[in-house]
C-alpha cells in the first residue's frame, strides 16, 4: 500500500473516531438544531460539487484540445502562405524575364519590318544560305512558340498561387475565430469551476481534495486488481527513456491550458514536448495523438508510451512504469505522478513504434 493510501486511511479513521466521540448520547443530548444553509455540506453534497467541477474541467480540456488544434492548424496555414508568397515572387520574376524576352522578339520584328532575320535570309536568293537558315528559322519559330507557351503557363501558375493564398487566408481567418471561441469556452469553464471552489470554506476544500484523491485511488486500485500490471513487462527504448526523463524533469511545473513549456504545460503539451526532446515529433493534441499514433494493447505497454483517457480522448499521460504515469492534470494543479488507472483509459499509443 502506498504512503498516500496509508495517510488517507488514517485520516478517514481519525475523522470517523472523532465523529463517534463527538456524537451526543441519546439520553442527555440537547435538541439538534435545524441545519442552516451555511452548515458544512455532507459528503454526498461535496461529491456532487466534485462531479460538477470535474465536468467543468473536463469540458475545458476538450476546448483546450480544440484551441491547440486550431493553433497548430494556423501555424501550418501560415507556413503554407509564406511558401505560396515565395512561389508568387519567384513566378513574378520568371514572368518579368519572359516578358522581357517576348519584348526583345517583338522589337526585333519591328526593326526588320515585321520580317524575321531568318526569313530575310531565306529570301536572299542564295540556295546554300537558304538551306543553312531554314533550320534556324524553324528553331526561331519554335523558340517564340515556347516563349509564349511559358508566358501563358507562368501567368496561369501565378493565378493558381494567388487563389491558393486567398483560400489559405480565409482558412486562417476562420481558424482564428475557432481559436477565439475555444479560448472563451476554456476561460468561462475554468472561471466557473474556480468560482464554485471558492464558495467552499477551507475545510470543505480540503475535504473536496480528499474526495478527489479517494476517487483516483479507488479507480487505480480497481485497475491494479484486474491483474493487468502482472502482464506489463515492456522495457523502455532509448527514445522512450529520453521522453520519460524529460517529463520527469517537469514535475512540479504548473498546468496552463495551451502551454507547451518550458515553464508550464497542458497535458498534450507535456507529452508532445517530451517526445520532441526524444527526437520524435508527434501531434500536438491528445485527440490527434490518439488518431495518428500506433495503438497497442495495455499488456504490451512500456515506459514512454502514452495513455489516452476518456471516451473523447481529452486527456493524456505518459506511462513511466510500475503502474504510474506523469501528466499535467488540470488548471490549479502541477505536473505530477499519478496512477495509470486513476482515470478512465481509452487506450495506449506508441510514439516510437
Amino acid at each position: 500500500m502506498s504512503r498516500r493510501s496509508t495517510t488517507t486511511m488514517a485520516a478517514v479513521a481519525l475523522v470517523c473516531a472523532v465523529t463517534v466521540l463527538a456524537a451526543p448520547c441519546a439520553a442527555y443530548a440537547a435538541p439538534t438544531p435545524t441545519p442552516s444553509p451555511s452548515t458544512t455540506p455532507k459528503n454526498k453534497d461535496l461529491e456532487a460539487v466534485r462531479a460538477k467541477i470535474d465536468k467543468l474541467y473536463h469540458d475545458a480540456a476538450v476546448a483546450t484540445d480544440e484551441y491547440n488544434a486550431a493553433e497548430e492548424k494556423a501555424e501550418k496555414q501560415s507556413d503554407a502562405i509564406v511558401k505560396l508568397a515565395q512561389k508568387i515572387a519567384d513566378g513574378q520574376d520568371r514572368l518579368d524575364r519572359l516578358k522581357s524576352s517576348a519584348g526583345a522578339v517583338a522589337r526585333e520584328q519591328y526593326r526588320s519590318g515585321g520580317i524575321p532575320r531568318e526569313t530575310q535570309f531565306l529570301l536572299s536568293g542564295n540556295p546554300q544560305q537558304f538551306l543553312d537558315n531554314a533550320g534556324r528559322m524553324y528553331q526561331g519559330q519554335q523558340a517564340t512558340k515556347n516563349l509564349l507557351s511559358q508566358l501563358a503557363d507562368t501567368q496561369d501558375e501565378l493565378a493558381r498561387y494567388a487563389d491558393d493564398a486567398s483560400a489559405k487566408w480565409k482558412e486562417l481567418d476562420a481558424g482564428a475565430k475557432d481559436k477565439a471561441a475555444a479560448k472563451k469556452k476554456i476561460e468561462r469553464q475554468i472561471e466557473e469551476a474556480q468560482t464554485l471552489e471558492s464558495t467552499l470554506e477551507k475545510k470543505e476544500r480540503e475535504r473536496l481534495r480528499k474526495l478527489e484523491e479517494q476517487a483516483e485511488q479507488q479507480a487505480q486500485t480497481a485497475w491494479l486488481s484486474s491483474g493487468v500490471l502482472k502482464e506489463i513487462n515492456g522495457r523502455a527504448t532509448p527514445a522512450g527513456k529520453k521522453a520519460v526523463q524529460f517529463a520527469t524533469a517537469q514535475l512540479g511545473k504548473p498546468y496552463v491550458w495551451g502551454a507547451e513549456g518550458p515553464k508550464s504545460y497542458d497535458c498534450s503539451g507535456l507529452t508532445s514536448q517530451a517526445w520532441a526532446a526524444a527526437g520524435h515529433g508527434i501531434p500536438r493534441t491528445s485527440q490527434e495523438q490518439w488518431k495518428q499514433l500506433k495503438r497497442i494493447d495495455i499488456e504490451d505497454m512500456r515506459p514512454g508510451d502514452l495513455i489516452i483517457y476518456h471516451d473523447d480522448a481529452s486527456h493524456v499521460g505518459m506511462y513511466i512504469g510500475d503502474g504510474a504515469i506523469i501528466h499535467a492534470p488540470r488548471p490549479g494543479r502541477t505536473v505530477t505522478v499519478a496512477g495509470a488507472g486513476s482515470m478512465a483509459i481509452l487506450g495506449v499509443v506508441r510514439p516510437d513504434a
Side-chain angles (χ1 to χ4, degrees):
M1 183 179 295
S2 68
R3 183 176 179 182
R4 176 181 289 180
S5 299
T6 304
T7 303
T8 302
M9 290 179 67
V12 171
L14 180 59
V15 170
C16 291
V18 171
T19 302
V20 170
L21 290 173
C25 178
Y28 304 103
T32 303
T34 302
S36 66
S38 61
T39 300
T40 301
K42 298 178 182 178
N43 273 3
K44 65 178 182 180
D45 298 325
L46 270 181
E47 184 61 38
V49 171
R50 185 188 72 81
K52 185 172 183 180
I53 289 174
D54 280 352
K55 185 178 188 308
L56 286 168
Y57 280 127
H58 171 268
D59 292 345
V62 175
T64 297
D65 244 21
E66 293 171 358
Y67 177 91
N68 291 335
E71 186 172 51
E72 188 175 36
K73 187 176 181 181
E75 289 175 0
K76 291 178 180 179
Q77 288 166 343
S78 295
D79 289 343
I81 289 171
V82 170
K83 290 177 182 178
L84 283 169
Q86 186 60 54
K87 286 182 178 180
I88 289 172
D90 293 343
Q92 190 61 55
D93 287 343
R94 187 164 68 252
L95 185 63
D96 291 342
R97 290 195 300 271
L98 289 169
K99 284 182 177 180
S100 178
S101 298
V105 171
R107 288 192 296 274
E108 174 65 22
Q109 289 181 348
Y110 178 78
R111 282 195 296 270
S112 61
I115 302 176
R117 185 178 299 170
E118 291 84 354
T119 304
Q120 294 178 31
F121 284 147
L122 290 176
L123 298 175
S124 66
N126 187 323
Q128 184 59 45
Q129 195 173 34
F130 177 91
L131 293 174
D132 291 342
N133 288 288
R136 293 180 187 174
M137 177 176 148
Y138 176 76
Q139 290 174 356
Q141 290 174 337
Q142 288 299 110
T144 300
K145 183 178 179 180
N146 289 340
L147 177 63
L148 294 175
S149 177
Q150 288 180 42
L151 194 60
D153 289 346
T154 301
Q155 287 173 326
D156 290 343
E157 189 177 71
L158 282 174
R160 286 196 303 273
Y161 287 157
D163 288 343
D164 287 346
S166 177
K168 293 295 181 190
W169 274 116
K170 289 179 181 178
E171 290 177 7
L172 191 62
D173 182 57
K177 291 176 181 177
D178 291 342
K179 187 174 162 183
K183 181 179 179 180
K184 287 183 180 179
K185 189 187 298 183
I186 295 164
E187 291 174 341
R188 184 177 64 252
Q189 288 160 336
I190 291 176
E191 182 181 1
E192 187 176 346
Q194 291 174 339
T195 299
L196 185 56
E197 283 187 283
S198 69
T199 61
L200 300 174
E201 295 179 0
K202 183 179 179 180
K203 289 183 179 179
E204 293 168 350
R205 289 198 296 271
E206 290 173 355
R207 287 171 57 202
L208 180 66
R209 180 60 178 152
K210 286 181 179 179
L211 285 174
E212 291 176 355
E213 290 178 353
Q214 287 171 3
E216 291 172 0
Q217 288 168 0
Q218 287 171 0
Q220 175 72 354
T221 299
W223 184 68
L224 293 176
S225 297
S226 69
V228 66
L229 201 58
K230 296 178 182 178
E231 304 296 327
I232 300 174
N233 298 308
R235 292 185 177 182
T237 61
K241 288 180 181 178
K242 289 181 181 179
V244 170
Q245 287 170 354
F246 180 94
T248 303
Q250 314 314 311
L251 287 171
K253 293 184 179 180
Y255 176 105
V256 174
W257 63 266
E260 46 189 334
K263 295 182 179 180
S264 57
Y265 296 87
D266 62 20
C267 67
S268 57
L270 176 64
T271 54
S272 61
Q273 288 303 304
W275 272 102
H280 290 263
I282 64 173
R284 169 64 177 87
T285 68
S286 58
Q287 292 177 344
E288 288 304 312
Q289 289 170 6
W290 174 242
K291 288 178 183 177
Q292 296 185 35
L293 300 180
K294 183 179 179 180
R295 300 179 187 180
I296 62 168
D297 293 333
I298 290 178
E299 292 78 9
D300 297 328
M301 194 161 54
R302 66 191 184 200
D305 288 342
L306 305 182
I307 303 181
I308 310 297
Y309 294 95
H310 309 306
D311 291 341
D312 51 11
S314 58
H315 191 70
V316 60
M318 179 179 291
Y319 185 65
I320 58 173
D322 296 326
I325 60 167
I326 288 178
H327 72 142
R330 64 168 176 79
R333 302 284 187 263
T334 60
V335 176
T336 189
V337 175
S342 59
M343 295 167 283
I345 295 176
L346 176 62
V348 181
V349 294
R350 178 164 292 165
D352 61 339

